[in-house]
Amino acid sequence: MAEISWEVQGEYFETCSCDYLCPCISSNLTAKPTKGSCTVALVFHVERGKYGDVQLDGLNAAVLAYTPGAMANGDWTVGMVTDANASTEQSHALAAIMSGQGGGPMAALSPLIGAFKGVESRPIHFEMNGMHRSISIPDVLDQAAVGVPGGASPDEPMYLDNVPHPVNTRLALARAERSHLHAFGLDWDDTSGNNNGHYAPFHWRA
């Protein structure tokens, strides 16, 4: 069967259970998370996209994961949520892209997954305002992050550049304002304001 060509672009953000600044990216995933394990939620808002003939404009998705130690050691537990506004075809397309099964940047993470807990369809509300990002998936995920202002321009965040991250090689530094995740056997609540966050645009194709 021929591979399906696709292209998506939009905005992503994440929060994780590591203290700010998370050591995983700067160590190429080999450092131990600051709390020993890591729980993370990566959120995607597709502004424009197409998977074969399936249009994906305006849809959202989330990848929820837990790693028992250093991310590079694998044994990740992963579940996905696709937008309730998506048709069956659109949901399958989002899952293929975000899981890496359809190729593209997320495919590099597939060998690290030890347990894939499946895909759920839920209403997803994504908001972006300046350096602030938030998402609400009722009964699953409620998280928000705000960029850490840079010295030269307080309206712009500081960045990590040339990083080994599947979303983008340039990530804004952010702090998590809140993280509440209850899905796929994962339970995590934090409102300390001390945890890590990132955000970036993404533009993927395969």
Side-chain angles (χ1 to χ4, degrees):
M1 185 171 65
E3 294 183 357
I4 296 175
S5 296
W6 56 265
E7 183 174 1
V8 290
Q9 62 185 80
E11 293 288 332
Y12 126 95
F13 89 98
E14 69 175 86
T15 71
C16 78
S17 57
C18 281
D19 298 331
Y20 176 88
L21 179 64
C22 171
C24 299
I25 292 176
S26 61
S27 68
N28 200 15
L29 305 185
T30 61
K32 185 177 181 180
T34 61
K35 295 181 176 68
S37 63
C38 182
T39 305
V40 60
L42 295 88
V43 175
F44 300 88
H45 173 68
V46 179
E47 294 174 347
R48 290 180 296 279
K50 194 173 183 180
Y51 186 84
D53 294 329
V54 179
Q55 293 287 343
L56 301 175
D57 296 12
L59 296 176
N60 302 295
V63 178
L64 315 178
Y66 168 82
T67 69
M71 286 187 158
N73 292 341
D75 199 23
W76 295 20
T77 298
V78 175
M80 291 184 53
V81 182
T82 58
D83 204 318
N85 291 326
S87 67
T88 300
E89 292 78 10
Q90 289 172 321
S91 181
H92 288 166
L94 288 170
I97 292 168
M98 300 304 168
S99 69
Q101 290 182 347
M106 295 296 275
L109 301 181
S110 296
L112 301 174
I113 298 174
F116 184 69
K117 296 296 186 177
V119 182
E120 295 185 3
S121 175
R122 300 279 185 134
I124 301 177
H125 182 65
F126 175 91
E127 288 190 358
M128 181 175 71
N129 183 14
M131 293 197 296
H132 189 266
R133 307 284 189 276
S134 66
I135 188 171
S136 174
I137 306 175
D139 302 319
V140 172
L141 179 65
D142 175 28
Q143 75 175 16
V146 62
V148 177
S153 175
D155 295 327
E156 289 287 332
M158 292 186 285
Y159 292 95
L160 287 173
D161 213 344
N162 195 29
V163 298
H165 194 283
V167 174
N168 197 320
T169 58
R170 189 173 192 247
L171 301 178
L173 301 185
R175 288 184 182 272
E177 294 182 317
R178 65 179 183 273
S179 303
H180 301 286
L181 193 166
H182 301 282
F184 305 110
L186 308 181
D187 289 291
W188 170 40
D189 293 284
D190 191 279
T191 56
S192 67
N194 297 322
N195 284 13
N196 191 73
H198 293 298
Y199 61 82
F202 68 95
H203 189 178
W204 300 341
R205 60 172 62 90

